[in-house]
Amino acid sequence: NGIDENCNGDEDDDNGECPNVGDVRLANGATDAEGRVEIYYEGQWGTVCHDFWSLADANVVCRQLGFEGAEIAVRAQPDENGDPVPPFGPGDEDMPIWLDNLLCNGDEPNLLECEGSEPGFHNCSHDEDAGVICIDGPPPPLDTDEDGVPDDDDNCVDVFNDDQADLDDDGIGDACDFDADGDLADVEVD
């Protein structure tokens, strides 16, 4: 079932492994990068209905799990009788369906931040549980100063000085250290 007996929903268990509200996990996938989407809310795990399920919704899940994004937003497919069959299987019968009719734009920190029905309100059965196949790789490194160099490898700083070269075309001069030592260059500003 979806109830986490070791957690009360507000505090960590003895191992510090209790999920936070809005955390997601993938179930029944062949790899860690795919599966039925489950979200933690009100002290228990539940599923997400596939109504309006899109790649933007799936991207929120995959990025939250540390992947670059989603490759496929998986919806239940009809069987020979037209009944929906979720590719990663249905959630447990006693597991709640927490979310339905999501309309994420793709950059939300978690599914609870997306537009859609209030948690717990849905018109679905577990035969309509949503899934994802994530791009199996780490997310791209951040480049907060948009100079084309990931922050972890970035040895440039913006310098507010008209005489400094603007290497990243952001309208602000840059001072960079391209030495092998990796230390940021000393910068003199008049």
Side-chain angles (χ1 to χ4, degrees):
N1 70 26
I3 298 174
D4 194 331
E5 302 292 341
N6 298 317
C7 302
N8 67 13
D10 296 322
E11 300 175 12
D12 285 348
D13 64 359
D14 293 336
N15 298 325
E17 295 179 7
C18 287
N20 294 308
V21 171
D23 281 355
V24 291
R25 67 183 182 188
L26 302 180
N28 290 349
T31 71
D32 290 344
E34 65 180 40
R36 180 182 60 248
V37 176
E38 297 183 352
I39 185 165
Y40 194 75
Y41 187 75
E42 291 190 353
Q44 60 183 323
W45 289 100
T47 61
V48 176
C49 181
H50 78 179
D51 293 346
F52 302 122
W53 187 244
S54 71
L55 194 58
D57 305 328
N59 273 323
V60 172
V61 171
C62 292
R63 288 187 183 126
Q64 189 176 352
L65 292 170
F67 295 102
E68 182 177 342
E71 186 174 337
I72 300 172
V74 180
R75 299 170 53 104
Q77 300 299 313
D79 65 11
E80 62 276 355
N81 298 321
D83 296 323
V85 177
F88 299 110
D92 291 338
E93 191 174 303
D94 58 346
M95 181 180 276
I97 298 172
W98 282 129
L99 297 175
D100 189 13
N101 301 326
L102 287 176
L103 297 169
C104 301
N105 63 34
D107 62 3
E108 293 88 351
N110 67 58
L111 291 177
L112 294 174
E113 300 294 321
C114 298
E115 295 292 325
S117 300
E118 291 294 318
F121 290 92
H122 64 86
N123 60 352
C124 299
S125 70
H126 283 299
D127 290 338
E128 300 170 84
D129 286 342
V132 296
I133 298 176
C134 299
I135 298 169
D136 198 2
L142 293 176
D143 180 20
T144 55
D145 61 0
E146 299 177 355
D147 64 356
V149 179
D151 292 343
D152 290 345
D153 300 323
D154 195 343
N155 291 328
C156 297
V157 294
D158 287 334
V159 179
F160 296 92
N161 182 331
D162 293 335
D163 297 330
Q164 199 69 35
D166 184 13
L167 301 175
D168 57 7
D169 296 321
D170 66 355
I172 302 169
D174 298 297
C176 300
D177 174 13
F178 295 104
D179 295 339
D181 63 8
D183 293 330
L184 194 58
D186 290 332
V187 178
E188 286 186 28
V189 179
D190 297 327

